[in-house]
Amino acid sequence: MKKWLSPINLIQCTALILLLGLNVACLGPTLEPHELKTIAITHPHEPLVHGWYVSDLVGTELDRTGTKDISRPLNKALKKLFKMGGGTLYLPAGKYRLDEPVLIPAGTALRGDFTEPTLSKVDPSKNTIICAYYGRNMDDQAQPLFFLDGSSMIDGLVIWYPEQTVENVVPYAPTIRHYKKLSKSALNGTSKNIFLVNAYTGIQLGNKRGVTCIQLMKNIYGTPLCNGIEVWRDADIPRILNVDFNPDYWPSAELEAAAIDAEKVKKHCFEHAAGITYRRCDGSELAHITIRGYHRGLQLSDGHLYEGSIWLDNEGHYINFKITECYDAVWISNIKNHGTQFYNSLLQGERSAVFVENPMHGKECAMFMGCTLSGGQAAIMQSWQAEKNELFSLMFSACTFTSPIDWQGGNLSITDCDFRFEGPHLSIGPDSGQVIIADSRFQGPRTIDNQAGERVKISEARAAYIKPPSYPYQVNKISTYHPPRTQTQVVPAGDGHTDDAHRLQRIMDDMSNRGGGYVVLSPGLYALQSPLIIRENVELRGPLQAWQHLS
C-alpha cells in the first residue's frame, strides 16, 4: 500500500511536478493508470498526443456520428483521469453529441483533431466536432458546456450548436468557462485551437461570482452570436492570442443540412454581438486579433456590483489588432488610469474607430501608438456626462487618421500623427479639457473647429520622428519546441520515495544518442535527489501538455 509523502520527499519532487504538468490536487494514493499511449493526430501545431482514449479508461466506445449523447461516459473518463493523477484524453475526428455539461478537472486536458478554419466546409474526417444540445435558453451565468478547472486545457475542437438558427437566434449557456471546481484556485486554464462555429457566448473568464488568473486563449475562430470572449473578473495577466471572429465562418462551415443565410448572420452580428468584452481585468496581453462585422469589436465595458462591492477597471496591451466593418471598433466605458495601450492596430468602424461613453469614474487613460483609425461619422467620438471630463485622457502618437476627430470632453494629446484626408480635421467642444496637437501633419489646410479656446495648444507640423515598435512574432512559435523525431518512450511512475533521477537521466541520454524524441512520464510521483540534464533533441513531458500551478 502506498504511503503519503514525507515533507522532504514532497519538496524534492515538486519542481518536477510543476514542470511536467502532473496533477497534485491529491498527494495520497492514486489509481493505477492504464498504459499511456502515443497517438498521431491531425493538428496544425502538434503532431502527437500522449494520452488515452475514453475506452481505455471506462471501457465505452463513443458514438462518433453525433446522434447519441456522450456526455456521461466523457465525464466519467475525465474524472477517472483526474483520480489517476491527471493527463490527456483524446477524442478522434468525428461528431460527438453533448446533452449535458462537461467538467475538465484540474490537471487534465481534452484534445481533439483540428484543422485551422479557412472559410470552407468543415471535414468531419479531420476535425473533432462537438454537437452541442445543452444550454438552450439559458443565460450567461448558467453552467457552461465545458467547465475548465484550474490548470486544465481544452485543445482542438470544433463546437457547433445544431439547434441554433439565424432566423431566431436564442441565448445559450456559455460554451467554455474558465474557473475552479476541484482545484484550489482558477489559475492557468488553457483554451486553444477552438472553432466556435455559432456559439452564443464563446469563452468566459470567471463570472459575476468567480475570479480567474493567468489564463491562456490562443487560436480561437468563429462566428459568436453575442460575445466571443468575455472577461468577467480576471485578477492578472490573461493572454488572448490569434483570434479571428467574423460572420462568414458559420455559413462557410456547411454543417447544417440546409444553407445558412449569410446576409442574416451579418445583420445579426453587426446589430447585436461583440467580439471581445472586458468587464474587469488586470494586465491583459492581447495580440494578433482580427474582428470583422460586429456591433463592437472590442468593448472595455462597465464593472459590476456583487455582494455590495464593485469590480471596476480594465488595463492591458492590445497589439496588432485588425478590427474592421464594425459599428464601433473599440468602445470604452471602463478602463484604468494607466496601462491601456494599443500598438500597430487598424481600427475601422461604421460609426467610429474609438467611442467613449460615460466613463465610470472619469479618471481613465488610454494610449494609441502606430495605429490607423477611421470611422464613418468620426475616428474618435464621445458621449458622456460633463462632470466626468476633467481627468479622462486619450493619447495618440505616430498614428494615422483617415476621418475627423469629434472631441467633446476630457484631455487629448496628438503627437507626430498624420491626418490623411481633406479637412475639417478636428472638432473640439467647449467642455474639453486640455488638448495638445504637436508636430502633426494635415492633408490640405489644417482645419480645426476650436470651441475650447486657450485650453487647446497647437504646434507646427514637422517630419515624422516617432518609430513605433513592430511586433512580428508568430504566436504559435513562442515557447514551442518539437524534437526532430517523434519516437517516444513512456516512463512508469516511481513510488515517491526511491530516487528516480538516475533512471530518468539514463533514459534521456539514450533517447538523445538515438537522435532525439519524447520521454513521457506517466501520472504519479517521482522523487529527485539530484539534478536532471535534458539532453539535445529530447523533450521531457508529463501526460498533460499545459501550463500548471500546484493546486
Side-chain angles (χ1 to χ4, degrees):
M1 180 177 178
K2 294 182 179 179
K3 298 180 180 179
W4 288 76
L5 285 176
S6 67
I8 186 65
N9 291 128
L10 177 60
I11 292 170
Q12 289 168 343
C13 69
T14 293
L16 186 60
I17 291 170
L18 288 172
L19 171 66
L20 299 172
L22 304 178
N23 176 27
V24 289
C26 174
L27 290 173
T30 60
L31 300 178
E32 292 297 330
H34 296 72
E35 185 171 350
L36 190 65
K37 288 182 167 63
T38 299
I39 307 167
I41 65 172
T42 299
H43 196 281
H45 312 295
E46 294 279 347
L48 298 173
V49 161
H50 300 106
W52 294 267
Y53 295 95
V54 170
S55 58
D56 295 331
L57 302 180
V58 297
T60 301
E61 294 289 344
L62 300 182
D63 173 71
R64 296 169 64 178
T65 66
T67 57
K68 184 177 179 181
D69 178 34
I70 67 152
S71 53
R72 293 190 179 183
L74 180 59
N75 274 310
K76 185 178 179 181
L78 286 163
K79 184 175 181 180
K80 184 169 184 179
L81 191 57
F82 169 75
K83 290 183 176 180
M84 284 165 39
T88 298
L89 192 68
Y90 170 61
L91 288 179
K95 291 183 176 181
Y96 299 88
R97 176 172 177 146
L98 290 181
D99 292 346
E100 298 177 13
V102 173
L103 169 65
I104 314 296
T108 66
L110 181 63
R111 300 284 303 274
D113 287 314
F114 189 77
T115 58
E116 186 175 318
T118 58
L119 298 179
S120 59
K121 184 175 181 179
V122 174
D123 185 350
S125 70
K126 296 180 180 179
N127 290 275
T128 300
I129 303 171
I130 301 298
C131 305
Y133 289 86
Y134 166 78
R136 186 175 177 84
N137 288 316
M138 296 183 184
D139 65 24
D140 64 355
Q141 300 301 300
Q143 187 171 352
L145 178 67
F146 289 103
F147 189 114
L148 259 68
D149 207 349
S151 297
S152 65
M153 182 171 73
I154 187 169
D155 181 358
L157 297 182
V158 176
I159 304 174
W160 166 54
Y161 289 79
E163 295 180 323
Q164 183 67 277
T165 66
V166 70
E167 288 76 20
N168 181 32
V169 174
V170 299
Y172 272 80
T175 302
I176 299 169
R177 179 182 293 140
H178 293 228
Y179 189 40
K180 64 177 180 178
K181 190 80 170 182
L182 302 175
S183 61
K184 293 180 180 179
S185 56
L187 295 168
N188 268 344
T190 299
S191 294
K192 62 180 184 176
N193 304 299
I194 304 294
F195 184 8
L196 302 165
V197 177
N198 59 346
Y200 192 76
T201 297
I203 302 174
Q204 281 186 338
L205 298 191
N207 59 9
K208 285 185 178 180
R209 299 173 177 82
V211 182
T212 59
C213 191
I214 320 178
Q215 306 294 313
L216 172 63
M217 286 146 286
K218 185 167 76 169
N219 304 333
I220 311 296
Y221 312 87
T223 304
L225 300 176
C226 181
N227 274 307
I229 296 173
E230 186 176 30
V231 180
W232 273 97
R233 295 171 70 181
D234 196 88
D236 219 351
I237 325 172
R239 292 145 295 158
I240 303 177
L241 307 172
N242 202 37
V243 172
D244 189 355
F245 293 148
N246 76 67
D248 294 332
Y249 274 119
W250 181 12
S252 300
E254 297 187 32
L255 289 169
E256 287 83 1
I260 299 295
D261 190 326
E263 293 305 313
K264 288 183 178 180
V265 177
K266 290 178 181 178
K267 185 174 187 295
H268 173 87
C269 291
F270 185 80
E271 293 179 354
H272 301 290
I276 298 175
T277 298
Y278 269 73
R279 303 192 186 277
R280 194 277 176 187
C281 186
D282 288 335
S284 302
E285 180 187 353
L286 295 85
H288 301 286
I289 309 295
T290 301
I291 299 170
R292 176 172 60 81
Y294 278 74
H295 187 67
R296 293 171 180 165
L298 169 67
Q299 58 179 3
L300 304 175
S301 191
D302 299 344
H304 58 282
L305 284 165
Y306 177 64
E307 293 183 348
S309 64
I310 190 165
W311 283 69
L312 294 170
D313 302 326
N314 291 293
E315 61 172 299
H317 292 174
Y318 308 97
I319 303 167
N320 293 352
F321 271 56
K322 184 180 180 181
I323 303 180
T324 59
E325 300 177 33
C326 296
Y327 185 62
D328 296 314
V330 176
W331 184 88
I332 296 174
S333 178
N334 174 31
I335 56 176
K336 289 191 175 182
N337 59 5
H338 64 278
T340 299
Q341 301 171 332
F342 291 81
Y343 299 99
N344 290 6
S345 294
L346 172 63
L347 307 176
Q348 180 267 323
E350 298 301 303
R351 177 172 69 166
S352 71
V354 178
F355 193 93
V356 181
E357 185 164 354
N358 290 325
M360 294 195 70
H361 47 67
K363 299 178 182 178
E364 292 92 337
C365 177
M367 183 180 78
F368 297 77
M369 175 177 280
C371 298
T372 299
L373 305 98
S374 66
Q377 296 183 32
I380 315 299
M381 296 183 68
Q382 299 159 307
S383 173
W384 57 7
Q385 300 170 7
E387 64 267 22
K388 291 187 175 182
N389 289 351
E390 186 174 336
L391 296 177
F392 184 92
S393 301
L394 291 185
M395 297 179 286
F396 299 89
S397 62
C399 290
T400 298
F401 296 94
T402 60
S403 56
I405 294 175
D406 183 6
W407 191 255
Q408 299 301 320
N411 304 305
L412 175 65
S413 173
I414 298 173
T415 304
D416 196 25
C417 292
D418 288 281
F419 290 77
R420 292 184 180 170
F421 60 96
E422 297 287 342
H425 298 103
L426 291 94
S427 175
I428 302 171
D431 294 322
S432 297
Q434 301 297 316
V435 176
I436 297 174
I437 304 169
D439 304 340
S440 296
R441 295 154 295 280
F442 297 81
Q443 183 173 317
R446 183 177 65 198
T447 308
I448 299 174
D449 179 13
N450 177 15
Q451 301 177 40
E454 294 182 357
R455 294 193 302 276
V456 179
K457 304 293 189 293
I458 304 173
S459 73
E460 294 302 317
R462 58 174 288 185
Y465 59 90
I466 296 175
K467 294 183 179 180
S470 61
Y471 292 86
Y473 64 80
Q474 299 180 46
V475 297
N476 290 306
K477 292 186 178 181
I478 300 172
S479 302
T480 301
Y481 168 76
H482 296 300
R485 306 191 312 157
T486 58
Q487 277 71 10
T488 300
Q489 181 163 347
V490 177
V491 181
D495 59 13
H497 298 277
T498 306
D499 180 33
D500 294 297
H502 179 71
R503 175 171 68 110
L504 295 176
Q505 190 65 65
R506 184 178 67 252
I507 292 170
M508 288 190 291
D509 291 350
D510 180 63
M511 182 65 76
S512 179
N513 291 335
R514 290 187 286 119
Y518 297 91
V519 175
V520 183
L521 304 186
S522 299
L525 300 173
Y526 298 80
L528 299 181
Q529 295 179 3
S530 59
L532 291 176
I533 300 174
I534 313 299
R535 300 296 186 188
E536 183 179 7
N537 295 327
V538 172
E539 181 176 334
L540 180 62
R541 282 189 171 190
L544 176 67
Q545 289 82 60
W547 294 106
Q548 290 261 283
H549 267 72
L550 190 64
S551 58

